[in-house]
């Protein structure tokens, strides 16, 4: 479905003379990303609505997505596998973050963010199997990954200290960052290749 929609739209903009024929594949790939992202986000929000966890899902999607765009990570070979893995991970993280008692939240948040920072420093960015980063792009995304994790740490810690009642949301955010950081590990890529 995603391929069909992307192919039709790419062909229509080619036929309309908006793009050159040699750029067709680039636009087709870009459209695949846009269409799959829209479908995935709506699907994940739909699941969150069913479970009455919309705010938590938005936190997960924002934090995870912000790191993912900059750092990369494990990619599965089909859109459906990616959707199922993301949905399961989102619900697990929401459940885990919501289950942390307030007296442990500071320690969990601190450890999750510290491990995430170290993993980002060590492994980010990770190439996408569909597009390898050039040396220059690798440097750019490395800096962006470090900025992204730093910004997220500042926001999560600040929110926690401004209002301790936000600890569940901060826990979900920190676990979301940790989850994305774990997808950078070489072990994650090896598991996919086997």
């Amino acid at each position: 479905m995603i391929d069909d929609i992307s192919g039709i739209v790419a062909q229509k903009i080619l036929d309309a003379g908006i793009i050159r024929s040699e750029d067709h594949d680039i636009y087709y790939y870009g459209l695949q990303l846009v269409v799959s992202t829209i479908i995935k986000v709506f699907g994940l929000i739909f699941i969150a609505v069913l479970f009455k966890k919309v705010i938590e899902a938005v936190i997960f999607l924002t934090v995870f997505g912000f790191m993912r765009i900059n750092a990369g990570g494990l990619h599965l070979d089909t859109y459906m596998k990616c959707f199922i893995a993301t949905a399961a991970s989102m619900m697990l993280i929401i459940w885990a973050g919501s289950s942390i008692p307030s007296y442990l939240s500071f320690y969990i948040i601190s450890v999750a963010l510290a491990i995430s920072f170290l993993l980002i420093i060590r492994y980010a960015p990770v190439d996408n199997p569909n597009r390898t980063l050039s040396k220059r792009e690798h440097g750019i995304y490395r800096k962006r990954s470090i900025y992204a994790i730093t910004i997220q740490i500042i926001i999560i810690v600040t929110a926690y200290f401004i209002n301790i009642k936000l600890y569940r949301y901060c826990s979900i955010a920190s676990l979301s960052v940790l989850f994305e950081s774990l997808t950078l590990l070489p072990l994650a890529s090896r598991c996919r290749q086997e």
Side-chain angles (χ1 to χ4, degrees), residues 13-117:
I13 61 176
L14 176 65
D15 293 344
I18 298 170
I19 62 171
R20 299 176 302 188
S21 60
E22 57 267 15
D23 293 334
H24 178 272
D25 291 343
I26 295 168
Y27 281 86
Y28 173 72
Y29 177 69
L31 287 165
Q32 282 181 310
L33 294 176
V34 169
V35 171
S36 68
T37 300
I38 290 169
I39 291 170
K40 185 190 295 184
V41 168
F42 278 113
L44 293 171
I45 294 296
F46 178 75
I47 291 169
V49 168
L50 289 177
F51 288 96
K52 298 181 173 112
K53 298 290 185 183
V54 175
I55 293 171
E56 294 87 342
V58 169
I59 290 169
F60 171 83
L61 291 170
T62 302
V63 172
F64 177 81
F66 187 59
M67 283 309 308
R68 185 69 164 191
I69 289 168
N70 293 295
L74 173 67
H75 284 270
L76 299 176
D77 56 357
T78 68
Y79 294 115
M80 185 55 74
K81 286 180 186 176
C82 179
F83 178 78
I84 291 169
T86 305
S89 301
M90 177 183 78
M91 294 311 294
L92 179 64
I93 286 168
I94 289 171
W95 172 79
S98 298
S99 299
I100 295 172
S102 61
Y103 67 90
L104 288 178
S105 62
F106 177 76
Y107 303 107
I108 302 289
I109 292 167
S110 299
V111 169
L113 293 176
I115 291 170
S116 300
F117 186 78

